Amino acid sequence: MAERIGQRSVRFGEHITVIGYGSAVGKKEGSGPLGDCFDRVVDDSEPLEGSWEKSESALQSAALTEAMKRAALEPAGIDMIFAGDLLNQCVGSTFGLLPYGIPMGGVFGACSTMALSLMMASMAAEAGVAECAAAVTSSHFCTAERQFRNPLEYGGQRSPTSQWTATASGAVCVGSGGRVKVVGGCMGKIIDLGVADANNMGAAMAPAAADTVVAYLRDTGTAPDDYDAIFTGDLGVVGSGLFLQLMTAAGYTADGVHRDCGKLLYDIERQDVHAGGSGCGCSASVLCGHILPSLERGRLRRVLFCATGALMSTTSGQQGDNIPGIAHLIELSV
Amino acid sequence: MAERIGQRSVRFGEHITVIGYGSAVGKKEGSGPLGDCFDRVVDDSEPLEGSWEKSESALQSAALTEAMKRAALEPAGIDMIFAGDLLNQCVGSTFGLLPYGIPMGGVFGACSTMALSLMMASMAAEAGVAECAAAVTSSHFCTAERQFRNPLEYGGQRSPTSQWTATASGAVCVGSGGRVKVVGGCMGKIIDLGVADANNMGAAMAPAAADTVVAYLRDTGTAPDDYDAIFTGDLGVVGSGLFLQLMTAAGYTADGVHRDCGKLLYDIERQDVHAGGSGCGCSASVLCGHILPSLERGRLRRVLFCATGALMSTTSGQQGDNIPGIAHLIELSV
């Protein structure tokens, strides 16, 4: 049974662990600083079956397959999957996971989806609803650009604060007996400080990240330095600066231990991604390609993984709404 | 601790109950056969603040407020909400639930969302992650028509098999001490039998409904007649017929106890809704306006609530993809 701690946080039982994980990314991500860490780097220069959406679904299939391989599980060994993506009605997950025949719960948290689905998978395992539950998510530069911004062929100019949607997917299997523990976590609140610029997602999400991290630190009575790293994702360059300012204002100095998945995935200058990476697949692939392997190998021992999402659609944007943010947090340790 | 039963089903502990519920619907739904059952019937002849999306969000707020009232809870008494809707990136839930400041997990299951979010809320309560968790969902005729079909002003002809997206919302609070028990449930698999007609959602969803109901009956060793009613939603007229055929093919006669939320919400002939109602809010409002009150009053004692969703987007439709279905099931009893 999980234990509620303080206002909003939760601690899972010792048996809630990561038993497998997998990652699949595109060529750009594969030639970034973490390129060697991913299970699969796929050639994404042409759309699969003529559809970038099919390409995104294939990334989810690849990541899940790699996670099952590491967990030594067949699809029948996974009781349920929690999955989502940025596409309208989460069709990336629908078509990516359809072939596996595993019961599925759809999740939407924009770029925070990996932390949210990992929370749900851990809850399912803790509740006894699943012996093994998986969390899967993805994003794709080409599907996101077309859906949220402009057709690729338009060649739109990108603003300096804009982020690059990662072509990437990550999958995690939660069950008992793994080396990395899912210690606990904190569900995010929807936070709206009035940012309405869809080309500055980092600013829209930073307040939510600070809100959730501060809530978890207060609830658990811990300080940033108690962790080897606090990973946010995907605040990018702009959002990371704002996050650290907000943390300082709340009385926490996180500068030394803070890392951001949107800054880790790319060589920001060389790869011309402006303010950094974003997308459900960004923090998911950094989690599964970098954070979890580093925990398994003992290079990291205790970390916070706080994935952040910008809650907007093209309709809400066109109607002049603000972009509220949300951030869900998971603590991992060995 | 929940108990896994058979292949895919689960039984929750005795303490997992419904402690509050609320519903809010539009004028058309309010003048249907269940019109007197809903907590609020709102005048939806004009969009709120000029936006139908705002109108949909307001329905969620209204339903949640009514559910909190029945549960005698303030927002601070709800540990987390699981919510979703049909709008791209679930913005109906984002803006409907933002004012409450309650931690939120976004859920996507198309029209099956109420059963899925109820499953997640029950899981959260069972895991000890929440003392009280809420499940909220909505749909709106005008937001759905514009997003999935045509602008309202276009006045498009509707096909005989098409369903009418309900302007409706439902909210359920799960915790301990309520009269209606959340006995257990079954998460749905994504099922694709090749239906690709977006004007025949019932046919697309019926196989998923049959798959989940049959799985639950087999896992629990029960028969349709063990229940006072098996509610599907929202198969409508066409999908309900197909569902019963598939049940018969699987060896179960469900004709006597089967009800469909899409058929219950409207007077199908008089209200000109063609094959019946649909939308996340359809089964949610029937659950919260009709099923739960009937259970509380002892008119029903044991029911299955199997909400069904069609997993498609305009993009997947335009790319010629099939429309896979999914159905999640919850057993309720007093």
Side-chain angles (χ1 to χ4, degrees), chain B residues 18-25 37-40 59-71 114 135-137 168-173 281 284-289 292-293:
Chain B
V18 173
I19 58 171
Y21 53 85
S23 57
V25 302
C37 307
F38 302 112
D39 294 318
R40 294 199 204 171
L59 284 175
Q60 285 208 16
S61 305
L64 178 60
T65 299
E66 293 293 336
M68 290 195 301
K69 206 188 290 176
R70 234 181 227 106
M114 180 41 94
V136 187
T137 182
S169 175
V172 178
C173 297
S285 63
V286 173
L287 175 70
C288 297
L292 289 170

Side-chain angles (χ1 to χ4, degrees), chain A residues 63-323:
Chain A
L64 178 60
T65 299
E66 293 293 334
M68 291 195 299
K69 205 188 291 177
R70 231 178 230 110
L73 284 174
E74 297 293 316
I78 299 180
D79 297 315
M80 55 190 65
I81 299 180
F82 297 94
D85 54 80
L86 290 175
L87 296 179
N88 296 342
Q89 288 73 52
C90 299
V91 288
S93 304
T94 294
F95 291 101
L97 303 176
L98 170 61
Y100 294 89
I102 301 170
M104 186 182 116
V107 174
F108 180 75
C111 306
S112 75
T113 302
M114 180 41 94
L116 179 57
S117 50
L118 195 47
M119 173 72 89
M120 289 175 174
S122 305
M123 263 172 31
E126 184 74 75
V129 164
E131 268 181 54
C132 171
V136 187
T137 183
S138 65
S139 55
H140 195 293
F141 177 75
C142 302
T143 63
E145 283 298 304
R146 175 167 58 193
Q147 182 177 279
F148 289 110
R149 297 176 193 92
N150 295 299
L152 290 180
E153 296 80 353
Y154 179 72
Q157 185 87 350
R158 297 164 58 78
S159 111
T161 55
S162 71
Q163 293 175 241
W164 185 278
T165 307
T167 298
S169 175
V172 178
C173 297
V174 174
S176 63
R179 186 160 150 65
V180 178
K181 284 182 214 157
V182 184
V183 177
C186 182
M187 295 259 296
K189 294 183 180 180
I190 308 170
I191 306 284
D192 176 15
L193 293 198
V195 176
D197 179 1
N199 289 311
N200 194 352
M201 295 292 188
M205 300 186 289
D211 179 77
T212 302
V213 172
V214 166
Y216 192 74
L217 294 176
R218 283 198 184 138
D219 286 347
T220 54
T222 55
D225 287 341
D226 291 331
Y227 302 93
D228 295 332
I230 297 176
F231 292 93
T232 55
D234 321 302
L235 300 178
V237 177
V238 178
S240 290
L242 294 170
F243 168 74
L244 291 174
Q245 279 182 39
L246 290 164
M247 290 297 291
T248 304
Y252 292 101
T253 307
D255 303 55
V257 296
H258 175 246
R259 310 277 180 276
D260 185 71
C261 298
K263 289 166 71 181
L264 291 168
L265 186 58
Y266 300 105
D267 183 328
I268 288 179
E269 292 299 318
R270 179 177 61 82
Q271 294 190 293
D272 191 27
V273 293
H274 294 219
S278 71
C280 302
C282 179
S283 59
S285 63
V286 173
L287 175 69
C288 298
H290 170 60
I291 303 174
L292 288 171
S294 298
L295 284 160
E296 278 203 335
R297 286 168 205 150
R299 286 181 205 155
L300 294 170
R301 300 201 59 81
R302 187 185 187 193
V303 306
L304 300 182
F305 172 69
C306 181
T308 57
L311 301 174
M312 52 84 66
S313 73
T314 52
T315 304
S316 71
Q318 285 158 6
Q319 293 185 350
D321 286 318
N322 290 339
I323 305 175

